Amino acid sequence: MSSQAPLTATQPSPLAAEAVAGVTDPALRQVIADHWEYTMRWTPTWATTLGDHRFDDRLAPRDPAAIAVSEAEHDALLSRLVTLDAARFGE
């Protein structure tokens, strides 16, 4: 089990608005925003590189339990995405 506390943030990424810029569909916008948060939490050094300093004191957990949690979160995001009706997004 990881010795670090779970990767969570009390405030959204300062870069979140840029991540969803131009996305007008509310459901798609939320999935993208949630994916952005997922990415920042699970790759904290990348977040720091991009200017999101909420996880500066962290390295990405690499223990089996953390990887399983990360994969489950990723799968849940993907499931939400594939249920969206792509026809309503236009071309």
Side-chain angles (χ1 to χ4, degrees):
M1 186 170 283
S2 175
S3 61
Q4 292 182 334
L7 293 174
T8 60
T10 57
Q11 298 179 6
S13 169
L15 307 172
E18 292 178 46
V20 296
V23 180
T24 57
D25 182 84
L28 179 58
R29 185 178 181 90
Q30 189 60 56
V31 171
I32 292 170
D34 291 347
H35 183 266
W36 182 263
E37 286 299 320
Y38 162 86
T39 302
M40 297 298 99
R41 282 186 292 109
W42 288 101
T43 55
T45 54
W46 179 242
T48 298
T49 299
L50 295 176
D52 182 343
H53 298 284
R54 298 174 298 158
F55 306 108
D56 283 358
D57 64 336
R58 302 284 178 180
L59 293 174
R62 295 291 181 232
D63 58 278
I67 291 169
V69 170
S70 174
E71 289 174 349
E73 285 185 35
H74 185 267
D75 291 348
L77 285 166
L78 185 57
S79 292
R80 287 172 51 203
L81 183 63
V82 299
T83 63
L84 298 177
D85 180 9
R88 63 187 210 199
F89 305 137
E91 289 186 39

Coordinates of all heavy atoms in Angstrom, one line a residue:
M1 N 0.8 -1.2 0.0 CA 0.0 0.0 0.0 C 0.9 1.2 0.0 O 2.0 1.3 0.6 CB -0.9 0.0 1.2 CG -1.9 1.1 1.2 SD -3.2 0.9 2.4 CE -4.2 -0.3 1.6
S2 N 0.4 2.3 -0.6 CA 1.2 3.5 -0.7 C 1.3 4.2 0.6 O 0.4 4.2 1.4 CB 0.5 4.5 -1.7 OG 1.2 5.7 -1.7
S3 N 2.5 4.8 0.9 CA 2.7 5.5 2.2 C 2.2 6.9 2.0 O 2.1 7.6 3.0 CB 4.1 5.5 2.5 OG 4.9 6.1 1.5
Q4 N 1.9 7.4 0.9 CA 1.4 8.7 0.7 C -0.1 8.8 0.9 O -0.8 7.8 0.7 CB 1.7 9.2 -0.8 CG 3.1 9.5 -1.1 CD 3.3 10.0 -2.5 OE1 2.5 9.8 -3.3 NE2 4.4 10.7 -2.6
A5 N -0.6 10.0 1.3 CA -2.1 10.2 1.3 C -2.7 10.1 -0.1 O -1.9 10.3 -1.0 CB -2.4 11.5 2.0
P6 N -4.0 9.8 -0.2 CA -4.6 9.8 -1.5 C -4.4 11.1 -2.2 O -4.4 12.2 -1.6 CB -6.1 9.5 -1.2 CG -6.1 9.0 0.2 CD -4.9 9.5 0.9
L7 N -4.3 11.0 -3.5 CA -4.1 12.2 -4.3 C -5.5 12.9 -4.5 O -6.3 12.4 -5.3 CB -3.5 11.9 -5.7 CG -2.1 11.4 -5.7 CD1 -1.7 10.9 -7.1 CD2 -1.2 12.4 -5.2
T8 N -5.7 13.9 -3.8 CA -6.9 14.7 -3.9 C -6.6 16.2 -3.9 O -5.5 16.6 -3.5 CB -7.9 14.4 -2.7 OG1 -7.2 14.7 -1.5 CG2 -8.3 13.0 -2.7
A9 N -7.5 17.0 -4.4 CA -7.3 18.4 -4.3 C -8.6 19.1 -3.9 O -9.7 18.6 -4.3 CB -6.9 18.9 -5.7
T10 N -8.5 20.1 -3.1 CA -9.8 20.8 -2.7 C -10.2 21.8 -3.7 O -11.4 22.2 -3.6 CB -9.5 21.4 -1.3 OG1 -8.4 22.4 -1.4 CG2 -9.2 20.4 -0.2
Q11 N -9.4 22.3 -4.5 CA -9.7 23.3 -5.5 C -9.4 22.7 -6.9 O -8.5 21.9 -7.1 CB -8.9 24.5 -5.3 CG -9.2 25.2 -4.0 CD -8.4 26.4 -3.8 OE1 -7.7 26.9 -4.7 NE2 -8.4 27.0 -2.6
P12 N -10.2 23.2 -7.9 CA -9.9 22.7 -9.3 C -8.6 23.2 -9.8 O -8.0 24.2 -9.3 CB -11.1 23.2 -10.1 CG -11.6 24.4 -9.3 CD -11.3 24.1 -7.9
S13 N -8.1 22.6 -10.8 CA -6.8 23.0 -11.4 C -6.9 24.4 -11.9 O -7.9 24.8 -12.5 CB -6.5 22.1 -12.6 OG -5.4 22.6 -13.4
P14 N -5.9 25.2 -11.8 CA -5.9 26.6 -12.3 C -5.9 26.6 -13.8 O -6.2 27.6 -14.5 CB -4.6 27.2 -11.7 CG -3.7 26.1 -11.4 CD -4.7 24.9 -11.0
L15 N -5.6 25.4 -14.4 CA -5.6 25.3 -15.9 C -6.8 24.6 -16.4 O -7.0 24.4 -17.6 CB -4.4 24.4 -16.3 CG -3.0 24.9 -15.7 CD1 -1.9 23.9 -16.0 CD2 -2.7 26.3 -16.2
A16 N -7.8 24.3 -15.6 CA -9.0 23.6 -16.0 C -9.8 24.3 -17.1 O -10.3 23.7 -18.0 CB -9.9 23.2 -14.8
A17 N -9.9 25.6 -17.0 CA -10.7 26.4 -17.9 C -10.1 26.2 -19.3 O -10.8 26.1 -20.3 CB -10.7 27.8 -17.5
E18 N -8.8 26.2 -19.4 CA -8.1 26.0 -20.7 C -8.4 24.6 -21.3 O -8.5 24.4 -22.5 CB -6.6 26.3 -20.6 CG -6.3 27.7 -20.3 CD -4.8 27.9 -20.2 OE1 -4.0 27.4 -21.0 OE2 -4.4 28.6 -19.2
A19 N -8.5 23.6 -20.4 CA -8.7 22.2 -20.8 C -10.1 22.1 -21.5 O -10.2 21.2 -22.4 CB -8.6 21.3 -19.6
V20 N -11.0 22.9 -21.1 CA -12.4 22.7 -21.7 C -12.8 23.9 -22.6 O -13.9 23.9 -23.0 CB -13.4 22.5 -20.6 CG1 -13.2 21.2 -19.8 CG2 -13.5 23.7 -19.6
A21 N -11.9 24.7 -22.9 CA -12.2 25.9 -23.7 C -12.7 25.5 -25.1 O -12.2 24.5 -25.7 CB -10.9 26.7 -24.0
G22 N -13.8 26.1 -25.4 CA -14.5 25.8 -26.7 C -15.4 24.6 -26.7 O -16.1 24.4 -27.7
V23 N -15.5 23.9 -25.6 CA -16.4 22.7 -25.6 C -17.8 23.2 -25.0 O -17.9 23.7 -23.9 CB -15.9 21.6 -24.6 CG1 -16.8 20.5 -24.6 CG2 -14.5 21.2 -25.1
T24 N -18.8 23.2 -25.9 CA -20.1 23.7 -25.5 C -21.0 22.7 -24.9 O -21.9 23.1 -24.2 CB -20.7 24.4 -26.7 OG1 -20.9 23.5 -27.8 CG2 -19.9 25.6 -27.2
D25 N -20.9 21.4 -25.3 CA -21.8 20.4 -24.7 C -21.5 20.2 -23.2 O -20.3 19.9 -22.9 CB -21.6 19.1 -25.5 CG -22.5 18.0 -25.0 OD1 -23.7 18.0 -25.4 OD2 -22.1 17.2 -24.1
P26 N -22.5 20.4 -22.4 CA -22.2 20.3 -20.9 C -21.7 18.9 -20.5 O -20.8 18.8 -19.6 CB -23.5 20.5 -20.3 CG -24.4 21.2 -21.3 CD -23.8 20.8 -22.6
A27 N -22.2 17.8 -21.0 CA -21.8 16.5 -20.6 C -20.3 16.2 -21.1 O -19.5 15.7 -20.3 CB -22.7 15.4 -21.2
L28 N -20.0 16.6 -22.3 CA -18.7 16.4 -22.8 C -17.7 17.3 -22.0 O -16.6 16.8 -21.7 CB -18.6 16.7 -24.3 CG -17.2 16.5 -24.9 CD1 -16.7 15.1 -24.7 CD2 -17.3 16.9 -26.4
R29 N -18.1 18.5 -21.8 CA -17.3 19.4 -21.0 C -16.9 18.8 -19.6 O -15.8 18.9 -19.2 CB -18.0 20.7 -20.9 CG -17.2 21.8 -20.2 CD -18.0 23.1 -20.2 NE -17.3 24.2 -19.6 CZ -16.5 25.0 -20.3 NH1 -16.4 24.9 -21.6 NH2 -15.8 26.0 -19.7
Q30 N -17.9 18.2 -19.0 CA -17.7 17.7 -17.6 C -16.7 16.5 -17.7 O -15.8 16.3 -16.9 CB -19.0 17.3 -17.0 CG -18.8 16.9 -15.5 CD -18.2 18.0 -14.7 OE1 -18.8 19.1 -14.7 NE2 -17.1 17.8 -14.0
V31 N -16.9 15.6 -18.7 CA -16.0 14.5 -18.8 C -14.6 14.9 -19.1 O -13.6 14.4 -18.5 CB -16.4 13.5 -20.0 CG1 -15.4 12.4 -20.2 CG2 -17.7 12.8 -19.6
I32 N -14.4 15.9 -19.9 CA -13.1 16.5 -20.2 C -12.5 17.1 -18.9 O -11.3 16.9 -18.6 CB -13.1 17.5 -21.4 CG1 -13.4 16.8 -22.7 CG2 -11.8 18.2 -21.5 CD1 -13.7 17.7 -23.8
A33 N -13.3 17.9 -18.2 CA -12.8 18.5 -17.0 C -12.4 17.4 -16.0 O -11.3 17.6 -15.3 CB -13.9 19.4 -16.4
D34 N -13.2 16.4 -15.8 CA -12.9 15.3 -14.9 C -11.6 14.6 -15.3 O -10.8 14.2 -14.5 CB -14.0 14.4 -14.7 CG -15.2 15.0 -14.0 OD1 -15.1 16.1 -13.4 OD2 -16.3 14.4 -14.1
H35 N -11.4 14.4 -16.6 CA -10.2 13.7 -17.1 C -9.0 14.6 -16.8 O -7.9 14.1 -16.5 CB -10.3 13.4 -18.6 CG -9.1 12.7 -19.1 ND1 -8.1 13.4 -19.7 CD2 -8.8 11.4 -19.1 CE1 -7.1 12.5 -20.1 NE2 -7.6 11.3 -19.7
W36 N -9.2 15.9 -17.0 CA -8.1 16.8 -16.7 C -7.6 16.7 -15.2 O -6.5 16.6 -14.9 CB -8.5 18.3 -17.0 CG -7.3 19.2 -16.7 CD1 -7.1 19.9 -15.6 CD2 -6.2 19.5 -17.6 NE1 -6.0 20.7 -15.7 CE2 -5.4 20.4 -16.9 CE3 -5.9 19.0 -18.9 CZ2 -4.2 20.9 -17.5 CZ3 -4.7 19.5 -19.4 CH2 -3.9 20.4 -18.8
E37 N -8.6 16.7 -14.3 CA -8.3 16.5 -12.9 C -7.7 15.2 -12.6 O -6.7 15.1 -11.9 CB -9.6 16.7 -12.1 CG -10.1 18.1 -12.0 CD -9.1 19.0 -11.3 OE1 -8.4 18.6 -10.3 OE2 -9.0 20.2 -11.8
Y38 N -8.2 14.1 -13.3 CA -7.6 12.8 -13.1 C -6.1 12.8 -13.6 O -5.2 12.3 -12.8 CB -8.4 11.8 -14.0 CG -7.7 10.5 -14.3 CD1 -7.7 9.4 -13.4 CD2 -6.9 10.3 -15.5 CE1 -7.1 8.3 -13.6 CE2 -6.2 9.2 -15.7 CZ -6.3 8.1 -14.8 OH -5.6 7.0 -15.1
T39 N -5.8 13.4 -14.7 CA -4.5 13.5 -15.2 C -3.6 14.3 -14.3 O -2.4 13.9 -14.0 CB -4.5 14.1 -16.6 OG1 -5.3 13.3 -17.5 CG2 -3.0 14.2 -17.2
M40 N -4.1 15.4 -13.7 CA -3.2 16.2 -12.8 C -3.0 15.4 -11.5 O -1.9 15.5 -11.0 CB -3.9 17.5 -12.5 CG -4.1 18.4 -13.7 SD -2.6 19.0 -14.6 CE -2.5 17.8 -16.0
R41 N -4.0 14.7 -11.0 CA -3.8 14.0 -9.8 C -2.8 12.8 -9.9 O -2.0 12.6 -9.0 CB -5.1 13.5 -9.2 CG -6.0 14.5 -8.5 CD -7.2 13.9 -7.9 NE -8.2 13.4 -8.9 CZ -8.5 12.2 -9.2 NH1 -7.9 11.2 -8.5 NH2 -9.3 11.9 -10.1
W42 N -3.0 12.1 -11.0 CA -2.2 10.9 -11.2 C -0.8 11.1 -11.8 O 0.0 10.2 -11.8 CB -3.0 9.8 -11.9 CG -4.1 9.3 -11.0 CD1 -5.4 9.6 -11.1 CD2 -3.9 8.4 -10.0 NE1 -6.1 8.9 -10.1 CE2 -5.2 8.2 -9.4 CE3 -2.8 7.7 -9.4 CZ2 -5.4 7.3 -8.3 CZ3 -3.0 6.9 -8.3 CH2 -4.3 6.7 -7.8
T43 N -0.6 12.3 -12.4 CA 0.7 12.6 -12.9 C 1.1 14.0 -12.3 O 1.2 15.0 -13.1 CB 0.8 12.6 -14.4 OG1 -0.3 13.5 -14.9 CG2 0.5 11.2 -15.0
P44 N 1.4 14.0 -11.0 CA 1.7 15.3 -10.4 C 2.9 16.0 -10.9 O 2.9 17.2 -10.9 CB 1.8 14.9 -8.9 CG 2.1 13.4 -8.9 CD 1.5 12.9 -10.1
T45 N 3.9 15.3 -11.4 CA 5.1 16.0 -11.9 C 4.7 16.7 -13.2 O 5.2 17.8 -13.5 CB 6.3 15.1 -12.1 OG1 5.9 14.0 -12.9 CG2 6.8 14.6 -10.7
W46 N 3.8 16.1 -14.0 CA 3.4 16.7 -15.2 C 2.5 18.0 -14.9 O 2.6 19.0 -15.5 CB 2.6 15.7 -16.1 CG 2.0 16.3 -17.3 CD1 0.7 16.4 -17.7 CD2 2.7 16.8 -18.4 NE1 0.6 16.9 -18.9 CE2 1.8 17.2 -19.4 CE3 4.1 17.0 -18.7 CZ2 2.2 17.8 -20.6 CZ3 4.5 17.6 -19.9 CH2 3.5 17.9 -20.9
A47 N 1.7 17.8 -13.9 CA 0.9 19.0 -13.4 C 1.8 20.1 -13.0 O 1.6 21.3 -13.4 CB 0.0 18.6 -12.2
T48 N 2.8 19.9 -12.3 CA 3.8 20.9 -11.9 C 4.4 21.5 -13.1 O 4.5 22.8 -13.2 CB 4.8 20.3 -11.0 OG1 4.2 19.9 -9.8 CG2 5.9 21.4 -10.6
T49 N 4.8 20.7 -14.1 CA 5.5 21.2 -15.3 C 4.5 22.2 -16.0 O 5.0 23.2 -16.6 CB 5.8 20.0 -16.2 OG1 6.8 19.2 -15.5 CG2 6.4 20.5 -17.5
L50 N 3.2 21.9 -16.0 CA 2.3 22.7 -16.7 C 1.9 24.0 -15.9 O 1.2 24.9 -16.5 CB 1.0 21.9 -17.0 CG 1.2 20.7 -18.0 CD1 -0.1 20.0 -18.1 CD2 1.7 21.2 -19.3
G51 N 2.2 24.0 -14.7 CA 1.9 25.2 -13.9 C 0.9 25.0 -12.8 O 0.4 25.9 -12.2
D52 N 0.4 23.7 -12.6 CA -0.6 23.4 -11.6 C 0.2 22.9 -10.4 O 0.8 21.8 -10.4 CB -1.5 22.3 -12.1 CG -2.6 21.9 -11.2 OD1 -2.5 22.2 -10.0 OD2 -3.6 21.3 -11.6
H53 N 0.3 23.7 -9.4 CA 1.2 23.4 -8.3 C 0.5 22.8 -7.1 O 1.1 22.7 -6.0 CB 2.0 24.6 -7.9 CG 2.8 25.1 -9.0 ND1 4.0 24.5 -9.3 CD2 2.7 26.2 -9.8 CE1 4.6 25.2 -10.3 NE2 3.8 26.2 -10.7
R54 N -0.7 22.2 -7.3 CA -1.4 21.6 -6.1 C -0.8 20.3 -5.6 O -1.0 20.0 -4.5 CB -2.9 21.3 -6.6 CG -3.6 22.6 -6.9 CD -5.0 22.2 -7.5 NE -4.9 21.4 -8.7 CZ -5.8 20.6 -9.2 NH1 -7.0 20.5 -8.6 NH2 -5.6 19.9 -10.3
F55 N 0.0 19.7 -6.4 CA 0.6 18.4 -6.1 C 2.1 18.4 -6.1 O 2.8 17.4 -6.3 CB 0.1 17.3 -7.0 CG -1.4 17.2 -7.1 CD1 -2.1 17.6 -8.2 CD2 -2.2 16.8 -6.0 CE1 -3.5 17.6 -8.3 CE2 -3.5 16.7 -6.1 CZ -4.2 17.1 -7.2
D56 N 2.7 19.6 -5.9 CA 4.1 19.7 -5.9 C 4.9 18.8 -4.9 O 6.0 18.5 -5.1 CB 4.6 21.2 -5.6 CG 4.3 22.1 -6.8 OD1 3.9 21.6 -7.9 OD2 4.6 23.3 -6.7
D57 N 4.2 18.4 -3.9 CA 4.8 17.6 -2.9 C 4.7 16.1 -3.1 O 4.9 15.3 -2.3 CB 4.3 18.0 -1.5 CG 2.8 17.7 -1.4 OD1 2.1 17.6 -2.4 OD2 2.3 17.5 -0.2
R58 N 4.2 15.8 -4.3 CA 3.9 14.4 -4.6 C 4.7 13.8 -5.8 O 5.1 14.6 -6.7 CB 2.4 14.2 -5.0 CG 1.5 14.7 -4.0 CD 1.4 13.7 -2.9 NE 0.5 14.2 -1.8 CZ 0.2 13.5 -0.8 NH1 0.7 12.3 -0.6 NH2 -0.5 14.0 0.1
L59 N 4.8 12.5 -5.8 CA 5.2 11.8 -7.0 C 4.1 10.8 -7.3 O 3.3 10.5 -6.4 CB 6.5 11.0 -6.7 CG 7.8 11.8 -6.5 CD1 8.9 10.8 -6.1 CD2 8.2 12.6 -7.7
A60 N 4.0 10.4 -8.5 CA 2.9 9.5 -8.9 C 3.1 8.2 -8.2 O 4.2 7.6 -8.2 CB 2.9 9.3 -10.4
P61 N 2.0 7.7 -7.5 CA 2.1 6.4 -6.8 C 2.3 5.3 -7.8 O 1.6 5.3 -8.8 CB 0.8 6.4 -6.0 CG -0.1 7.3 -6.6 CD 0.7 8.3 -7.3
R62 N 3.1 4.3 -7.5 CA 3.3 3.2 -8.4 C 3.1 1.9 -7.8 O 3.5 0.9 -8.4 CB 4.8 3.3 -9.0 CG 5.0 4.6 -9.8 CD 4.2 4.4 -11.1 NE 4.5 5.6 -12.0 CZ 3.5 6.3 -12.5 NH1 2.3 6.1 -12.3 NH2 3.8 7.4 -13.2
D63 N 2.5 1.9 -6.6 CA 2.3 0.6 -6.0 C 1.1 -0.1 -6.7 O 0.2 0.6 -7.3 CB 2.1 0.7 -4.5 CG 0.9 1.7 -4.2 OD1 1.1 2.9 -4.2 OD2 -0.2 1.2 -3.9
P64 N 0.9 -1.4 -6.6 CA -0.2 -2.1 -7.3 C -1.6 -1.6 -6.9 O -2.4 -1.5 -7.7 CB 0.0 -3.5 -6.8 CG 1.5 -3.7 -6.5 CD 1.9 -2.3 -5.9
A65 N -1.8 -1.2 -5.6 CA -3.1 -0.8 -5.2 C -3.4 0.6 -5.9 O -4.6 0.8 -6.4 CB -3.2 -0.6 -3.7
A66 N -2.5 1.5 -5.9 CA -2.7 2.8 -6.5 C -2.9 2.7 -8.0 O -3.8 3.3 -8.6 CB -1.5 3.7 -6.3
I67 N -2.2 1.8 -8.7 CA -2.3 1.6 -10.1 C -3.7 1.0 -10.4 O -4.4 1.5 -11.3 CB -1.2 0.6 -10.7 CG1 0.1 1.4 -10.6 CG2 -1.6 0.2 -12.1 CD1 1.3 0.5 -10.9
A68 N -4.2 0.1 -9.6 CA -5.6 -0.4 -9.7 C -6.6 0.7 -9.6 O -7.6 0.7 -10.4 CB -5.8 -1.5 -8.7
V69 N -6.4 1.6 -8.6 CA -7.4 2.7 -8.4 C -7.3 3.6 -9.7 O -8.4 4.0 -10.2 CB -7.1 3.5 -7.1 CG1 -7.9 4.7 -7.1 CG2 -7.3 2.6 -5.9
S70 N -6.1 3.9 -10.1 CA -6.0 4.8 -11.3 C -6.7 4.2 -12.5 O -7.4 4.9 -13.2 CB -4.5 5.0 -11.6 OG -4.3 5.7 -12.8
E71 N -6.4 2.9 -12.7 CA -7.1 2.2 -13.9 C -8.6 2.2 -13.8 O -9.3 2.4 -14.8 CB -6.5 0.8 -14.0 CG -5.1 0.8 -14.5 CD -4.5 -0.6 -14.5 OE1 -5.1 -1.6 -14.0 OE2 -3.4 -0.8 -15.1
A72 N -9.1 2.0 -12.6 CA -10.6 2.0 -12.4 C -11.1 3.4 -12.7 O -12.2 3.5 -13.3 CB -10.9 1.6 -11.0
E73 N -10.5 4.5 -12.2 CA -10.9 5.8 -12.5 C -10.9 6.1 -14.0 O -11.8 6.7 -14.5 CB -10.0 6.8 -11.7 CG -10.3 6.9 -10.3 CD -9.5 8.0 -9.6 OE1 -9.3 9.1 -10.3 OE2 -9.1 7.8 -8.5
H74 N -9.8 5.7 -14.6 CA -9.7 5.9 -16.1 C -10.8 5.1 -16.8 O -11.4 5.7 -17.7 CB -8.3 5.4 -16.6 CG -8.1 5.7 -18.0 ND1 -8.3 4.7 -19.0 CD2 -7.6 6.8 -18.6 CE1 -8.0 5.2 -20.1 NE2 -7.6 6.5 -20.0
D75 N -11.1 3.9 -16.4 CA -12.1 3.1 -17.1 C -13.5 3.8 -16.9 O -14.3 3.8 -17.8 CB -12.1 1.7 -16.5 CG -10.9 0.9 -17.0 OD1 -10.2 1.3 -17.9 OD2 -10.7 -0.2 -16.4
A76 N -13.7 4.3 -15.7 CA -15.0 5.0 -15.4 C -15.1 6.3 -16.3 O -16.2 6.5 -16.8 CB -15.1 5.4 -14.0
L77 N -14.1 7.0 -16.5 CA -14.1 8.2 -17.4 C -14.4 7.7 -18.8 O -15.2 8.3 -19.5 CB -12.8 8.9 -17.3 CG -12.5 9.8 -16.1 CD1 -11.1 10.2 -16.0 CD2 -13.4 11.0 -16.1
L78 N -13.7 6.7 -19.3 CA -13.9 6.2 -20.6 C -15.4 5.7 -20.8 O -16.0 6.0 -21.8 CB -13.0 5.1 -20.9 CG -13.0 4.5 -22.4 CD1 -12.7 5.6 -23.4 CD2 -12.0 3.4 -22.5
S79 N -15.9 5.1 -19.8 CA -17.3 4.6 -19.9 C -18.3 5.8 -20.0 O -19.2 5.7 -20.8 CB -17.7 3.8 -18.6 OG -17.0 2.6 -18.6
R80 N -18.0 6.8 -19.3 CA -18.9 8.0 -19.4 C -18.8 8.6 -20.8 O -19.7 9.1 -21.4 CB -18.4 9.1 -18.4 CG -18.9 8.7 -17.0 CD -18.3 9.6 -15.9 NE -18.5 11.0 -16.2 CZ -17.8 12.0 -15.7 NH1 -16.7 11.7 -14.9 NH2 -18.0 13.2 -16.0
L81 N -17.6 8.6 -21.3 CA -17.3 9.2 -22.6 C -18.1 8.5 -23.7 O -18.7 9.1 -24.6 CB -15.8 9.3 -22.9 CG -15.4 10.0 -24.2 CD1 -15.9 11.5 -24.3 CD2 -13.9 9.9 -24.4
V82 N -18.0 7.2 -23.7 CA -18.5 6.4 -24.8 C -20.1 6.4 -24.8 O -20.7 6.0 -25.8 CB -18.0 4.9 -24.9 CG1 -16.5 5.0 -25.1 CG2 -18.3 4.1 -23.7
T83 N -20.6 6.7 -23.7 CA -22.1 6.8 -23.6 C -22.7 8.1 -24.2 O -23.9 8.2 -24.4 CB -22.6 6.6 -22.2 OG1 -22.2 7.7 -21.4 CG2 -22.2 5.3 -21.5
L84 N -21.8 9.0 -24.5 CA -22.3 10.3 -25.0 C -22.6 10.1 -26.5 O -21.9 9.4 -27.2 CB -21.2 11.4 -24.9 CG -20.8 11.8 -23.5 CD1 -19.7 12.8 -23.5 CD2 -22.0 12.3 -22.7
D85 N -23.7 10.7 -27.0 CA -24.1 10.7 -28.3 C -23.2 11.6 -29.2 O -23.4 12.8 -29.1 CB -25.6 11.1 -28.5 CG -26.1 11.0 -29.9 OD1 -25.4 10.5 -30.8 OD2 -27.2 11.4 -30.1
A86 N -22.3 11.0 -29.9 CA -21.4 11.8 -30.7 C -22.1 12.7 -31.8 O -21.6 13.7 -32.2 CB -20.4 10.9 -31.4
A87 N -23.3 12.3 -32.2 CA -24.0 13.0 -33.2 C -24.3 14.4 -32.7 O -24.4 15.4 -33.6 CB -25.3 12.3 -33.6
R88 N -24.5 14.6 -31.5 CA -24.8 16.0 -31.0 C -23.6 16.9 -30.9 O -23.8 18.1 -30.7 CB -25.5 15.9 -29.6 CG -24.7 15.3 -28.6 CD -25.5 15.2 -27.3 NE -24.7 15.3 -26.1 CZ -25.0 14.9 -25.0 NH1 -26.1 14.3 -24.8 NH2 -24.1 15.1 -23.9
F89 N -22.4 16.4 -31.3 CA -21.3 17.3 -31.2 C -21.0 17.9 -32.6 O -20.1 18.8 -32.7 CB -20.0 16.5 -30.8 CG -20.2 15.9 -29.5 CD1 -19.8 14.6 -29.3 CD2 -20.8 16.5 -28.4 CE1 -19.9 14.0 -28.0 CE2 -21.0 15.9 -27.2 CZ -20.5 14.6 -27.0
G90 N -21.7 17.5 -33.6 CA -21.4 18.0 -35.0 C -20.2 17.3 -35.6 O -19.7 16.3 -35.1
E91 N -19.7 18.0 -36.6 CA -18.5 17.4 -37.3 C -17.2 17.9 -36.8 O -17.0 18.9 -36.4 CB -18.6 17.7 -38.8 CG -19.7 16.8 -39.4 CD -19.7 17.0 -40.9 OE1 -18.7 17.0 -41.5 OE2 -20.8 17.0 -41.4

